Amino acid sequence: MSRLKEKLAEKIPAYRERVTRLVKEHGDVVIDQVHVRQMYGGMRGLKSLTTDISYLDPEEGIRFRGYTIPECLEKMPKPPGSEMPYVEGHFYLLLTGDIPSTDDIKDVVDDFKTRSAVPKHVFDMLHAMSKDTHPMTMFSAAVLALQNDSVFVKKYNAGLSKMEYWDPTYEDSMNLLAKLPEIAAYIYRMKYKNNKIIKPNPDLDFGANFAHMMGIDHPYDEISRLYFMLHSDHESGNVSAHTTHLVGSALSDAYYSLSAGLNGLAGPLHGLANQEVLRWIQQVMDKMGNTLPTQEELKKFVWDTLKSGQVIPGYGHAVLRKTDPRYTAQRDFSIKYLPDDKIFKLVSMLYEVVPPILVEQGKAKNPWPNVDAHSGVIQWHYGITEYDFYTVMFGVGRAIGVLSNIIWDRVVGQALERPKSLTTAMLEERAGIK
Ligand code: CMX
C-alpha cells in the first residue's frame, strides 16, 4: 500500500467515529434556516453542506486544511530549485490534512507515474470530435471516456461493503488525476499546435510535466504548480465541487462525478470567467489599437459593459467580500516575472478602476476581483493566447480538490443528496399571500 493510502486508512476510523457521534447524539442541532429568497436565489449563504478539505472565509479567503495560500506556499516541500510546491504534495495535504514530507511526496509522484498511461481510445475519440468543439467539452468527454476502467464499478458489481466504498473511489481518483495533465496538454497541442504532440517525461513532477507537454519553458513549470494548487478547492458549495459531490452521492463513480463537475465549471459565471476576462481585455486592446487605454477610457469601457447588461468578468463572488487571495498570489507572481507585460498592466489598471464603479453601480455585493480576473494574463504571457483553453487548466486543478472530497464522502457514507422542493403556491401560502 502507498504511504498516502496508508495514511488515509489510518485516519478513517477516528473520523468516522467523530461524524457518527455528531449525527447520532447531536443530529437535531439547528445550523441554519431557509428563507424564500434563498430558494430562488441559488441557496446563497445557506449552511447545508460539509467538507473538511477547505474553508472559505468571506473576508480572508480560502484555507486549505486550515492553511492560507501564503502558508501553503511557505510550508509545503518544493522540487529541487523550485519556488512553487509540488502539486502532488498539495493533493496529499487536501486528502490527509497533513503537510507531507519530501519522501511522502516522492511516493505520490511515483504512484501517479504507474497510473498515468492514457488509453489510445481516448485520443481517438478526441480526434473524432468536430474541430470546433470547445476544449472543455473535449476535456469532460475524455474523463468520461475513461469510465470503463472504473475500479469502483467493478468492485461494486462484485459486491462491496459500504465501509469499503472509499477504497476503489481512491483508486479511481488516483488513476484519473495521474492522467489529467497529459489529456489536457494533448487537447491543447492537438487543437492549437497542429497536432504536434509532446510525449510526457516520466522524470518530471505533475506541474513540470504539464509545462513540458505544453511545450513551454521555465518558469512555466512554476506557474503550472501554482495554478493547479490555487484552483484546487473552494469549499464544497461552488458549482463544480457541489456537482461532483451531488453526482457522486448517487454512487456514480469518480469519472461520472468529475465529468459532471467539469461541465459546471464550463459556465461563464464559474470557471469559464477566466476565458471571458481575456476575451473582454482583448476587446479593450482592439478598440485602443493595441495600446493601453487611459484610466478615463477604461472607465468608459467598464460602464459600457455594465450598461449593455453584461457582468464584468473576474469581479464579484458569491461568498468572498475581499480581493481573492488566489488573485493576489497570481499578482505577486506577475509583479516578479512579468512586470512590464502590457496585459498585466491593463489587469492592474482594472484593479483600480473596476471596484469603485461596481460600488457606484450598487449591485454587486463584492466589487473585488476573483481568481479568474488574473489567471489569463499569466497564461497569455507564456504564449497560451488561446483563451478557450484556460478553463481546462482550472479543471485539472479543481479535480484535485473535488476528488479528495468525494473520497471523504465515501468514508462517512454521505447519503444520496435529495432536498425537498415546494411549489410557488405553497410558498405564497406560507408567506400569507392570499
Ligand atoms: N459585474 C456586474 N454585475 C455583477 C457582478 C459583476 N462582476 N457581480 C455581481 N453582479 C450583479 C449580479 O449580476 C446581480 O445582479 P442582479 O441583481 O441584476 O441579478 C447583483 O450584482 C448581485 O449579485 P451578487 O449577490 O453580488 O453576486 P452572486 O452571488 O449572485 O454572483 C458571481 C456571483 C461570481 C456569479 C457574480 O459576481 C458574477 O457574475 N461575476 C462575474 C463572473 C465571474 O467572475 N465569475 C467567476 C467567479 C469565480 C469562479 O467561480 O470561478
Side-chain angles (χ1 to χ4, degrees):
M1 198 188 277
S2 70
R3 296 163 79 113
L4 173 59
K5 194 169 179 185
E6 221 169 89
K7 173 67 89 175
L8 190 59
E10 219 176 271
K11 293 193 171 248
I12 286 175
Y15 186 72
R16 275 188 178 145
E17 222 176 284
R18 269 175 77 197
V19 173
T20 308
R21 179 166 175 225
L22 192 61
V23 175
K24 218 171 163 182
E25 296 176 19
H26 306 279
D28 290 334
V29 171
V30 176
I31 300 297
D32 212 345
Q33 288 181 323
V34 188
H35 297 264
V36 169
R37 84 176 71 83
Q38 292 171 306
M39 297 176 79
Y40 289 94
M43 294 186 272
R44 201 69 81 253
L46 184 67
K47 297 184 189 76
S48 58
L49 295 167
T50 171
T51 176
D52 292 284
I53 309 284
S54 64
Y55 180 74
L56 180 58
D57 182 88
E59 301 295 324
E60 186 194 51
I62 192 71
R63 274 181 186 261
F64 300 115
R65 289 285 190 176
Y67 297 101
T68 62
I69 290 169
E71 283 167 352
C72 287
L73 292 178
E74 188 215 315
K75 289 180 194 297
M76 296 288 285
K78 300 158 184 83
S82 297
E83 242 179 273
M84 298 297 168
Y86 282 101
V87 178
E88 291 89 337
H90 187 66
F91 177 57
Y92 188 105
L93 171 69
L94 293 190
L95 204 51
T96 66
D98 293 345
I99 302 259
S101 67
T102 310
D103 283 348
D104 292 329
I105 294 178
K106 192 179 172 310
D107 208 53
V108 184
V109 172
D110 292 344
D111 197 354
F112 275 160
K113 275 175 196 155
T114 65
R115 302 169 185 261
S116 64
V118 179
K120 183 176 168 296
H121 71 87
V122 175
F123 298 133
D124 291 345
M125 180 204 69
L126 292 173
H127 283 287
M129 293 176 97
S130 168
K131 294 275 169 283
D132 61 358
T133 305
H134 193 282
M136 269 306 269
T137 313
M138 291 183 162
F139 190 50
S140 175
V143 167
L144 214 45
L146 290 164
Q147 190 274 338
N148 62 318
D149 275 337
S150 169
V151 181
F152 180 83
V153 169
K154 285 185 190 87
K155 293 252 166 113
Y156 185 83
N157 289 344
L160 185 68
S161 145
K162 198 173 173 183
M163 298 295 277
E164 300 303 323
Y165 285 174
W166 72 269
D167 187 318
T169 304
Y170 169 90
E171 294 300 328
D172 281 350
S173 300
M174 292 293 288
N175 289 337
L176 236 175
L177 276 176
K179 295 174 179 62
L180 294 183
E182 184 174 355
I183 292 172
Y186 191 99
I187 290 170
Y188 180 75
R189 303 279 316 177
M190 178 189 88
K191 201 168 159 61
Y192 304 112
K193 299 288 166 192
N194 293 324
N195 199 30
K196 287 194 181 121
I197 305 299
I198 302 173
K199 293 237 174 293
N201 177 346
D203 295 331
L204 298 175
D205 61 275
F206 197 99
N209 201 19
F210 177 73
H212 158 76
M213 289 184 283
M214 291 292 286
I216 310 173
D217 294 336
H218 181 77
Y220 191 70
D221 51 343
E222 301 279 27
I223 194 63
S224 298
R225 293 189 196 99
L226 176 69
Y227 198 91
F228 294 146
M229 181 267 226
L230 292 181
H231 289 83
S232 61
D233 209 35
H234 224 217
E235 61 169 54
S236 52
N238 66 78
V239 170
S240 51
H242 189 197
T243 307
T244 308
H245 163 79
L246 169 68
V247 173
S249 84
L251 287 191
S252 304
D253 58 56
Y255 300 88
Y256 281 127
S257 305
L258 178 63
S259 174
L262 291 171
N263 297 341
L265 192 69
L269 292 188
H270 191 16
L272 206 79
N274 58 14
Q275 96 167 40
E276 297 299 299
V277 170
L278 250 288
R279 194 181 21 205
W280 188 69
I281 281 176
Q282 282 309 312
Q283 284 170 15
V284 184
M285 295 299 265
D286 284 351
K287 216 168 173 179
M288 304 310 305
N290 212 25
T291 57
L292 280 175
T294 63
Q295 284 235 353
E296 286 316 305
E297 285 166 336
L298 197 55
K299 279 182 192 165
K300 182 175 178 326
F301 198 82
V302 172
W303 274 116
D304 287 349
T305 302
L306 290 173
K307 283 176 189 156
S308 69
Q310 297 170 69
V311 295
I312 307 300
Y315 280 76
H317 200 272
V319 179
L320 273 169
R321 293 297 174 256
K322 281 273 164 71
T323 297
D324 190 336
R326 301 172 300 174
Y327 176 96
T328 309
Q330 295 186 87
R331 183 171 163 76
D332 291 346
F333 183 94
S334 304
I335 289 169
K336 181 164 180 191
Y337 286 101
L338 40 134
D340 299 324
D341 185 285
K342 204 188 284 177
I343 297 188
F344 173 53
K345 285 186 174 163
L346 183 51
V347 165
S348 296
M349 279 177 81
L350 285 167
Y351 193 19
E352 289 172 31
V353 163
V354 173
I357 292 181
L358 287 178
V359 169
E360 191 181 332
Q361 193 207 25
K363 278 171 75 176
K365 292 190 189 68
N366 176 33
W368 301 105
N370 61 60
V371 68
D372 296 317
H374 217 300
S375 314
V377 60
I378 302 180
Q379 301 299 337
W380 186 281
H381 180 83
Y382 289 106
I384 306 178
T385 52
E386 303 85 358
Y387 42 74
D388 280 9
F389 186 71
Y390 296 167
T391 316
V392 173
M393 292 183 281
F394 192 154
V396 175
R398 184 48 53 97
I400 297 164
V402 298
L403 291 174
S404 301
N405 264 296
I406 60 167
I407 294 168
W408 280 101
D409 286 352
R410 296 285 184 261
V411 165
V412 288
Q414 283 248 5
L416 175 78
E417 196 172 299
R418 197 353 180 151
K420 181 81 188 84
S421 307
L422 299 177
T423 66
T424 305
M426 287 171 185
L427 295 179
E428 284 168 341
E429 195 186 322
R430 196 67 188 267
I433 297 172
K434 297 261 183 315

